[in-house]
Each structure stands twice: as C-alpha cells, then as structure tokens.
C-alpha cells in the first residue's frame, strides 16, 4: 500500500464520511450562483499570498481609435443635446430627438457584435460611454445602460440559439426592438428565485397553427425600459403538468423572449424611480401564449434560467453601476472643489475650513480609488474574465461610496444643492444614489451574502473542489478528489497560518513587495492583511461551516475586508499604470490608510463576535495581538487631498477627466468660470487682505489696486454670484406641475392591478 492510499483510506475516508454527513449540500440556485462566471484576482487574494508581479503585469484597459472617436463624436454630441432639468421636470422623458439619436448611433448596441450590426465595444469603452453620459444626465445614462447590461442582448449572446441570435440581434442593434428584462415581481425582490410568475407547457395556436408552447401569467414591477419595450426578457417558473416535455412536472426558472404586443399583455404604465424620469414600470401578462422556440436557448434550455441570469450578471454588474458611480464621485470632486473655492463665508473660501476639507479629501481620494477599480475591472472583463465575486464587490462598493461622496458633496454645497431647479447640478445625482444601491442585487444582500458568502467558496483555492468532491456520486472518485483537495487545503492553511502570524507580528516587514517606487511600502501591509484574511476565513469556514450563511454580520465584515483588498490592489495598479505620478501620492496614501484602518477594524469586529471563542482568541493572538493600530488617514493627508480639488493641477485633471463640459452659460460652465477667475484674482485679493480693505472701490481709491484689477475683481464677484444663485419660481409656475403630479398619483393609487 502506497503512502498515498494509506492516507486516503485511513485518514481521509473517515473525514470524507463525516463531512458528507455534516455539511449542508448546496441548493440548485446556490450552486448555479456559485458556478456562474469565473475567478480572477479575487482568487489570488484568497491564497493569502497575492502575486503582485502578476497584478502589475496585467495589461491596463485601453480604447481603440474607433471607440475614442465614438466618445469624442456621438457621445459628446448626445451630451450637448441633454438638458436634465427639462427631461425630469418638464418632459418626464427624454425628448424624441434624443431617443432618435440614441437609436441611430447604436447606443443600445454597444455589446452586440459587428456581424449583427452592433458596435462590439470593449467593456472599457462601454464603461467610458456610461461614465461620460452619467456626468450629464442620469436619465440618459440609465437608458443607455440597460440594453447593454443584464437583459435580452447579453442573454441572447450567451445563450440564444443561432436562429434567435440571427433574428433578434440585428433588430436590437438597429433599435427596431427596445428590450427590457423582467425578473422582479412584488413577491420576489432580492429572493428572485421565489417568484410566482408562471408558465405552463401546453398546446396553443400561434400564427394560425397549433404548436407546443407555454401559457404565461405574470406580474412584474420596477422594470427599466419596460413601459416602451417591444421585447420583454421574461423570467418565470415553468411547469409541465401534462408531461409534454418529459418526466419533470416542475421544470424551474426559465427565460423567454416575449414580444410585448401579444394579446394578454399590459405594459406601458410608469413608476417614478426617485423622480428620475427614465422609463421604468410594471407589466402584467394574463394567459399569454408563446411557442416553445421563444424560450431563450430553445427547449433544451428550459429550467436553466437562473444559471443564465447569474452568468449574465457575473460580468454586467462590474460595468454599468460602477461606471455611473465613478462618474458621480468624479463629478462630486470637480464641483465640490470648485464650489468650495469660490463660495466664501466668514470672508474665507469655505474650502479653507478644515471641516470642509475633511469631506473634500474623502471625495478626492474616493474618486481616485473608484476609477482605479473601474478601469482594472473592465480590463479583466476585456481579457475574457467574468469574475462574479469581483463584480459583486464593484457593484456594492462603488454605489456605497457614491452615497458617501454625494452626501459629502451635498454638505459642502449647503442650500445650493438643496434647492431644486435648473441651476442645481447635484439634485439628480443625489436622487440616483438609492437606485444604484437597490438594483442588480440590493447592497445589504450583496455585502452580507454574496461578496464573502460566494467568494469563500468560489475564490478559495480548495473549498469548491472539496464541496464538489463531497457531492460526487461515484464514491471512490469523490474520495480521491476529496483526498487531493483536502490535503492541499490542510497544507495551504498551515503555510498560511505561519505566514499570517509572521507578517502580523512583524508588521508585514518581510512580506514580498515589488519595486514600485514610493508605493512599495504599501504592498507589505496589504500582503499582511491578505494572509490574515485568508487564515481567518479558513477558520470561520472550519468552525462555522454552513452556519456562516446565517452569520450575516460576520460574513459582511469578511466581505468588507475582501473588498478593501481588491480595491486597494487596483489603486496600487493605477498608480503604476499612470507612471507613478508623485503628485498623486497623497490620494494613493489616503486610500491605503483608510483601507488599512477599515481592514483592521473589521478584523477586530469579526474576532470580537466570532461564535467560536477559543478560535477567536487564537486568531487574535496570531493576527491582531495589539488590537487595531491603524487610525485612518492623518489630517495632513486629508488636507493635501482636499487641496488637490481647490487648485488647478494635472492631478485634479486626472481625477475629473472626461466629465462632460458643455461650455456656454450652462451651470457647470458658470462654476468653472468662477473657479478660474477666483484663482486668477487670488493675488489681488491677497493684496486687499494685507491692506485690511474689503471694499473694491475703496481699494481702488487708495491705489491698492489699479482699474484693470478692480474690473477683474468685479468680474470674479459676478461669476461667483451666478454660481451661488439658486432658482426660485412663481407659485403659478409650480402649481400646474403639482396638480398634474397629484392627478397622476391619485390615478395610480386608485387603479386596480391586473392581479386584483
Ligand atoms: C429603479 C429600479 C430599476 C429596476 N430595474 C429592474 C429591471 O429592469 N428588471 C428587474 O427585473 N428588476 C429591476 N429592479 C428590481 C431590483 O433588482 C430589486 O428592487 C432588487 O432586487 C431588490 O428587491 P426589492 O426592491 O423587492 O427589495 P427587497 O428584496 O424587499 O429587500 C429589502 C431590503 O432587504 C434586504 N434583504 C433582503 N433579503 C435579505 C437577506 N437574506 N439578508 C439581508 N438582507 C436582505 C435587501 O438588501 C434590501 O435592503 C429595479 C429596481 C429599481 C428600484
């Protein structure tokens, strides 16, 4: 008997039997969610010893000449056509010429291959388009976003039959069809798999012939583009009571492409999502009959809907909402910095006050971080990855950080951002925050169940292999596979325990770090935390097993650490890719200090709440012997980051690159003009200050300044007044709107739903 078979038969076998008995098996929906997409840099982080050379060698995202021309051409032109106030408060929709432009220039076909008439853009180009549009109009950005993310287009590309692709994709590319995707229903939100929308396999009449098909009944809500969609990607539970397809009665979640003009469909009513007037609404189907070939992927794909949805989500959620969020934070950085520079209180620009700088510093560093993460994630997707855990991290973290920064920006602007009207450039972004938080997996679920819950299994070097071996039906084969995975896991854990301990006790002194100039020092602690995370995660899995699912607070904190590890890696990567810009170092350092403090705080909280106390004590001894030591960015660093937003510089430009600037007398142009004049007149104002004179006329009289300087000060003051101004309305301007809203509202409330 070889050593190997002795180990397998006498040591592994009892463990295998015990584990099979004790560990809960995965439900089908859990398995499909876990198996969707692939792993990428998240898997490196889970090893506890990430390979930094690999990270730095990963090619940065780039645009082709054609993609750049699209951004400089149609995207800019579209942005010029958009008037967010008019869209949201006067028209309640994009104007017809904007719809025509979106369709004509194939904004809805960015992911559709050229052979079907689409633009076939990279993920990065797609993201750049959404990013720029988001800085101009959230309503337009969301409208362009949806057909290019989770929806019929993406699903057809991944799962459609050739006939379906040949029929639908050219029509979608030409915008002859407007798609929407219907998953959510009143009963089933986050728990989408619990939907009651149903399809029954039956025979029916289709275009005058009797065919095998499905009779559908549904009530969906919150569906973006739904009110104007011509084709609905519908998710429902398929039943086959008469066994027309086979032995199974309950076939499971299925996706079909349903033309919205079929009899029995009611579609067109609208919701008002946070008073942003992109098209969004409910729809109903009563005994709607579709032939079997409308099932996405054909009859072979019945019951595979959940897997399709998870798979489509694996890439899509790393692009749309992170792009909108990165745009939102860059916009907040650009406007808050400029406003804080021109707005004076107590005779000082408010940006000079430390408490304002606290907010500005956070906004600036977050803008740097989110764009780093967005670019790296797009690069990964463009290299063929569908990193489900990374994209879940991106979706939740980007929208969450957008929330923090938009609130900061609102505070910096004070009443200027509160008073609605065409002069308010923050209102739409503020209202958009909860939309991003809620869609594509609401953030609480994503943080507490998906990031670590799925990551622990999916990205771990051995766990999924062990679980698959335990579920293997052939016992001998299962045992062999388990033996290999299990002992690999044991070796990995022991090595990691020593690594994590050594790095924690030496502050990461001997952890590997590439030669990355001034950033080299950040790799070592990051390596330390990766090892600590991997060991703590292993111990949590070992002691809690399947119960970890119910320990949502613990799981969420692990998710936060994993997120920080990912985001901080991308920040280091950005700094390297951009040629190690010394002037950007405060931003890099702020992100690192903030992330390190969060990691230590979360680790401390995990250990304080870890259900298995002896394990917690051991882990604390190994990983955090002196408790959390990191305190976050020091004030001088926050001040340095804030200052970047208060002065023109290449660093400021890098942070706010690609914000759409319309020029003319638009609100953003007014702000930029005032900022520019404030900077230019600063030396004159300084002279006035030294002479203890506030009044320009008096300063001129006393010869402190000359005529040209007085005129420059006057122009600057007028420019600032134009920025500080807010809208006001005559009562009669508001009351017709109120009346029509009230009318709309009362109609909605009194209207019986189809289900009733
Ligand atoms: C503007 C907008 C556009 C949308 N567009 C579409 C679309 O085009 N197509 C589509 O199909 N859907 C769409 N949705 C639906 C969206 O995906 C759902 O709103 C989302 O899945 C959450 O469902 P819910 O709103 O019913 O919240 P619920 O599921 O009721 O959740 C409420 C809260 O409970 C939390 N929660 C739920 N379960 C758990 C748990 N196990 N542990 C911890 N916390 C939990 C959630 O995180 C959330 O914070 C859209 C929604 C909005 C608001």
């Amino acid at each position: 008997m070889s050593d190997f078979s002795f180990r397998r038969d006498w040591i592994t076998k009892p463990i295998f039997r015990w584990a099979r008995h004790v560990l809960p098996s995965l439900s089908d929906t859990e398995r499909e969610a876990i198996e969707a997409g692939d792993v990428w840099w998240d898997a490196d982080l889970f090893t506890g010893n990430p390979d930094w050379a690999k990270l730095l060698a990963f090619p940065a995202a780039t645009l082709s000449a054609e993609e750049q021309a699209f951004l400089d051409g149609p995207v800019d032109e579209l942005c010029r056509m958009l008037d967010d106030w008019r869209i949201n408060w006067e028209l309640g929709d994009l104007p017809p010429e904007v719809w025509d432009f979106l369709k004509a220039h194939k904004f809805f076909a960015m992911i559709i291959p050229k052979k079907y008439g689409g633009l076939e853009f990279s993920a990065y180009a797609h993201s750049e388009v959404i990013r720029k549009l988001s800085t101009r109009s959230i309503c337009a950005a969301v409208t362009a976003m949806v057909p290019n993310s989770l929806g019929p287009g993406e699903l057809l590309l991944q799962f459609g039959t050739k006939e379906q692709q040949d029929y639908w994709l050219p029509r979608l590319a030409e915008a002859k069809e407007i798609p929407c995707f219907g998953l959510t229903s009143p009963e089933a939100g986050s728990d989408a798999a619990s939907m009651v929308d149903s399809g029954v396999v039956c025979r029916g009449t289709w275009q005058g012939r009797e065919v095998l098909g499905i009779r559908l009944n549904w009530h969906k809500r919150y569906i973006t583009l739904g009110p104007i969609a011509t084709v609905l990607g519908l998710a429902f539970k398929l039943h086959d009571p008469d066994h027309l397809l086979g032995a199974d009665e309950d076939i499971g979640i299925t996706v079909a492409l349903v033309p919205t003009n079929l009899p029995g469909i009611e579609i067109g009513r609208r919701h008002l999502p946070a008073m942003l007037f992109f098209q969004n609404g409910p729809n109903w189907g009563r005994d709607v009959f579709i032939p079997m070939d409308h099932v996405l992927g054909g009859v072979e794909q019945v019951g595979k809907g959940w897997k399709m949805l998870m798979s489509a989500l694996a890439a899509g959620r790393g692009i749309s909402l992170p792009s909108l969020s990165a745009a939102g934070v860059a916009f907040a950085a650009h406007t808050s910095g400029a406003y804080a520079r021109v707005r004076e209180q107590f005779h000082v620009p408010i940006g000079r006050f430390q408490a304002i700088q606290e907010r500005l510093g956070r906004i600036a560093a977050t803008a740097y971080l989110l764009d780093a993460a967005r670019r790296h994630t797009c690069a990964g997707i463009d290299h063929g990855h569908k990193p489900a855990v990374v994209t879940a991290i991106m979706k939740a973290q980007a929208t969450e950080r957008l929330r923090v920064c938009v609130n900061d920006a609102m505070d910096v602007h004070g009443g200027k951002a509160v008073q609605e009207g065409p002069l308010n450039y923050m209102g739409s972004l503020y209202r958009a925050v909860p939309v991003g938080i809620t869609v594509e997996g609401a953030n609480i679920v994503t943080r507490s169940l998906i990031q670590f819950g799925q990551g622990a299994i999916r990205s771990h070097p051995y766990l999924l292999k062990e679980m698959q071996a335990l579920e293997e039906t052939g016992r001998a084969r299962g045992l062999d596979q388990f033996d290999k995975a299990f002992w690999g896991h044991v070796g990995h854990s022991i090595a990691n325990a020593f690594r994590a301990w050594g790095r924690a006790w030496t502050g990461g002194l001997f952890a590997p770090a590439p030669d990355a100039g001034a950033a080299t020092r950040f790799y070592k602690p990051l390596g330390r935390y990766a090892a600590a995370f991997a060991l703590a995660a292993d111990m949590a899995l070992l002691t809690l097993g399947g119960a970890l699912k119910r320990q949502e607070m613990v799981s969420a904190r692990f998710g936060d650490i994993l997120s920080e590890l990912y985001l901080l890696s991308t920040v280091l990567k950005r700094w390297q890719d951009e040629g190690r810009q010394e002037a950007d170092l405060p931003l890099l350092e702020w992100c690192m200090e903030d992330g390190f403090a969060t990691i230590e705080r979360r680790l401390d909280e995990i250990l304080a709440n870890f259900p298995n106390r002896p394990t917690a004590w051991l882990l604390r001894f190994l990983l955090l012997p002196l408790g959390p030591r990191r305190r976050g960015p020091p004030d001088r660093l926050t001040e340095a980051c804030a200052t970047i937003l208060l002065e023109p510089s290449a660093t400021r430009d890098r942070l706010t690159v690609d914000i759409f600037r319309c020029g003319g007398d638009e609100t953003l142009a007014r702000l930029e003009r005032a900022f520019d004049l404030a900077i230019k007149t600063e030396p004159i104002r300084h002279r006035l200050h030294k002479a203890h004179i506030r009044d320009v006329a008096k300063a001129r009289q006393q010869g402190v300044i000359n005529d040209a300087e007085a005129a420059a000060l006057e122009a600057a003051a007028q420019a600032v007044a134009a920025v500080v101004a807010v809208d006001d309305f005559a009562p009669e301007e508001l009351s017709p709107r109120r009346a029509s809203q009230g009318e709309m509202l009362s109609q909605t409330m009194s209207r019986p739903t189809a289900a009733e």
Side-chain angles (χ1 to χ4, degrees):
M1 186 185 274
S2 69
D3 285 356
F4 175 71
S5 50
F6 174 83
R7 183 185 82 183
R8 184 193 61 201
D9 295 338
W10 293 96
I11 308 177
T12 314
K13 203 171 186 172
I15 300 172
F16 179 69
R17 273 206 217 108
W18 169 83
R20 251 172 117 118
H21 180 68
V22 167
L23 288 182
S25 56
L26 291 172
S27 70
D28 286 347
T29 46
E30 281 173 326
R31 182 177 304 105
E32 282 163 2
I34 283 167
E35 286 172 1
D38 66 359
V39 293
W40 180 43
W41 183 242
D42 46 322
D44 258 76
L45 296 172
F46 255 96
T47 63
N49 200 19
D51 179 352
W52 301 122
K54 190 167 127 191
L55 174 79
L56 295 184
F58 200 85
T62 51
L63 295 174
S64 69
E66 189 188 350
E67 291 165 341
Q68 186 63 56
F70 189 80
L71 277 157
D72 297 339
V75 176
D76 272 2
E77 202 176 332
L78 174 62
C79 285
R80 273 192 289 277
M81 294 167 76
L82 297 166
D83 175 345
D84 215 34
W85 173 259
R86 191 162 163 253
I87 292 165
N88 286 319
W89 300 97
E90 290 171 6
L91 300 176
D93 193 5
L94 295 172
E97 62 277 14
V98 167
W99 278 109
D100 292 344
F101 191 89
L102 284 165
K103 291 175 186 175
H105 289 274
K106 303 195 174 180
F107 277 83
F108 299 153
M110 285 190 271
I111 58 166
I112 296 180
K114 286 192 170 145
K115 66 175 174 175
Y116 296 111
L119 295 176
E120 197 174 339
F121 277 178
S122 62
Y124 184 51
H126 171 189
S127 164
E128 288 282 287
V129 173
I130 299 301
R131 185 177 187 276
K132 196 167 218 177
L133 285 181
S134 303
T135 64
R136 182 67 172 159
S137 161
I138 296 288
C139 180
V142 172
T143 304
M145 182 188 289
V146 167
N148 291 294
S149 67
L150 174 70
E154 172 79 22
L155 289 166
L156 274 161
L157 283 169
Q158 284 197 39
F159 303 103
T161 62
K162 183 161 182 326
E163 292 72 32
Q164 289 172 337
Q165 290 178 340
D166 288 347
Y167 177 78
W168 287 107
L169 290 174
R171 297 177 69 78
L172 289 171
E174 293 295 316
K176 286 184 183 145
E177 307 281 353
I178 297 292
C180 71
F181 186 73
L183 173 64
T184 306
S185 49
E187 310 75 20
S190 304
D191 183 14
S194 69
M195 70 184 79
V196 296
D197 306 300
S198 71
V200 175
V201 183
C202 63
R203 302 197 73 81
T205 308
W206 180 254
Q207 295 174 344
R209 284 189 308 124
E210 200 196 277
V211 294
L212 188 65
I214 301 172
R215 197 177 60 248
L216 294 163
N217 281 281
W218 77 83
H219 172 188
K220 298 291 184 187
R221 64 174 183 176
Y222 303 167
I223 310 305
T224 304
L225 294 191
I228 53 149
T230 59
V231 54
L232 163 65
L234 183 74
F236 56 92
K237 282 195 176 146
L238 186 62
H239 308 279
D240 185 15
D242 300 329
H243 300 282
L244 297 171
L245 292 181
D248 288 342
E249 228 167 83
D250 291 323
I251 294 177
I253 295 174
T254 301
V255 177
L257 295 173
V258 183
T260 56
N261 59 0
L262 296 181
I265 298 181
E266 201 185 330
I267 197 162
R269 292 188 63 79
R270 293 179 66 178
H271 299 306
L272 296 178
M275 294 303 275
L276 292 166
F277 280 79
F278 58 86
Q279 295 282 341
N280 182 275
N283 57 73
W284 298 263
R286 273 250 167 270
D287 292 331
V288 178
F289 181 79
I290 53 164
M292 220 53 191
D293 63 9
H294 279 44
V295 169
L296 192 76
V299 70
E300 295 80 41
Q301 297 295 326
V302 293
K304 307 248 173 78
W306 192 248
K307 192 175 175 167
M308 292 178 182
L309 300 179
M310 292 301 109
S311 178
L313 207 56
R317 78 173 144 201
I319 303 174
S320 309
L321 292 166
S323 306
L324 185 147
S325 305
V329 178
F331 186 82
H334 183 71
T335 53
S336 304
Y339 188 78
R341 181 63 193 256
V342 304
R343 171 66 170 164
E344 291 192 0
Q345 287 293 283
F346 307 99
H347 310 297
V348 176
I350 57 169
R352 302 264 184 256
F353 296 123
Q354 269 211 339
I356 291 282
Q357 291 185 349
E358 191 179 12
R359 307 304 183 92
L360 291 178
R362 176 160 57 195
I363 299 174
T366 309
Y368 189 79
L369 176 140
L370 273 194
D371 220 45
R374 175 187 73 95
R375 292 183 207 173
H376 189 58
T377 307
C378 287
I381 296 170
D382 282 334
H383 276 77
H385 287 290
K386 285 189 177 164
V389 174
V390 163
T391 56
I393 288 173
M394 282 304 293
K395 188 268 154 181
Q397 290 289 331
T399 53
E400 213 58 56
R401 285 167 201 241
L402 173 69
R403 164 152 65 187
V404 172
C405 290
V406 168
N407 279 337
D408 283 343
M410 293 292 290
D411 292 353
V412 169
H413 281 82
K416 164 75 189 168
V418 174
Q419 299 299 355
E420 269 302 352
L423 294 176
N424 184 340
Y425 44 75
M426 287 303 299
S428 292
L429 189 57
Y430 181 67
R431 287 193 304 280
V433 166
V435 176
I437 301 275
T438 305
V439 302
E440 292 191 6
N443 278 8
I444 295 181
V445 171
T446 307
R447 174 174 178 247
S448 53
L449 287 178
I450 299 176
Q451 287 176 355
F452 182 69
Q454 275 185 28
I457 302 175
R458 192 70 173 90
S459 319
H460 191 283
Y462 295 101
L463 197 65
L464 186 59
K465 290 182 195 140
E466 286 167 326
M467 293 175 81
Q468 284 166 341
L470 288 170
E471 297 200 348
E472 177 68 57
T473 38
R475 240 183 141 74
R477 226 175 81 188
L479 179 60
D480 272 348
Q481 287 172 4
F482 184 76
D483 182 74
K484 235 164 131 189
F486 177 75
W487 290 105
H489 193 164
V490 170
H492 160 78
S493 296
I494 292 172
N496 216 18
F498 281 106
R499 183 184 299 127
W501 182 22
R503 289 183 185 176
W505 281 52
T506 59
L509 194 63
F510 303 108
D515 176 12
T520 307
R521 66 197 160 105
F522 298 121
Y523 286 85
K524 288 171 180 279
L526 203 56
R528 172 201 164 181
Y529 297 130
F533 166 76
L535 178 66
D538 253 354
M539 299 307 274
L541 291 163
L542 186 73
T543 55
L544 290 169
L548 191 54
K549 257 198 295 197
R550 288 184 296 280
Q551 295 284 336
E552 287 190 352
M553 292 196 223
V554 171
S555 178
R557 292 179 184 119
F558 272 116
D560 289 348
I561 299 179
L562 180 61
S563 302
E564 290 294 345
L565 292 174
Y566 178 73
L567 298 173
L568 296 182
S569 308
T570 68
V571 170
L572 291 170
K573 169 88 174 126
R574 173 177 179 171
W575 199 68
Q576 183 78 6
D577 287 348
E578 284 187 334
R580 303 182 185 177
Q581 300 291 335
E582 288 291 319
D584 299 3
L585 257 182
L587 300 167
L588 172 82
E589 198 178 342
W590 197 101
C591 296
M592 290 294 154
E593 291 298 338
D594 186 61
F596 292 162
T598 304
I599 291 174
E600 289 203 358
R601 201 164 51 242
R602 292 289 178 263
L603 194 56
D604 182 51
E605 288 164 3
I606 289 171
L607 299 179
N609 294 285
F610 208 79
N612 186 313
R613 295 315 300 153
T615 308
W617 297 327
L618 175 67
L619 284 174
R620 187 173 286 283
F621 170 77
L622 294 176
L623 305 179
L624 217 52
L626 303 176
R629 310 282 296 164
R630 298 272 185 176
R631 299 194 177 98
D635 292 350
R636 54 125 194 117
L637 200 54
T638 305
E639 209 175 314
C641 291
T643 307
I644 289 170
L645 297 186
L646 296 168
E647 309 284 345
S649 68
T651 300
R652 184 175 185 267
D653 291 346
R654 272 192 290 280
L655 275 188
T656 58
V657 68
D658 274 344
I659 286 177
F660 179 73
R661 295 169 172 94
C662 197
D665 195 33
E666 299 252 347
T667 49
L668 208 56
R670 287 185 188 190
L671 180 62
E672 276 159 9
R673 185 176 139 73
F675 180 67
D676 192 39
L677 291 177
I679 301 287
K680 283 190 181 134
T681 53
E682 176 90 12
I684 315 173
R685 290 151 62 85
H686 193 63
R687 227 180 309 143
L688 257 69
H689 183 73
K690 272 175 76 180
H692 303 288
I693 304 175
R694 291 220 180 93
D695 185 49
V696 176
K698 196 169 158 199
R700 177 70 202 98
Q701 253 173 23
Q702 294 186 6
V704 178
I705 54 175
N706 61 28
D707 282 346
E709 288 169 335
L713 284 178
E714 192 51 45
Q718 278 176 15
V720 170
V723 167
V724 171
V726 298
D727 298 281
D728 46 60
F729 304 89
E732 56 278 15
E733 285 180 272
L734 297 179
S735 40
R737 167 124 209 113
R738 268 211 315 261
S740 69
Q741 276 173 11
E743 213 175 285
M744 275 157 55
L745 252 156
S746 61
Q747 271 178 21
T748 311
M749 288 166 81
S750 61
R751 180 183 175 282
T753 63
E756 285 159 4

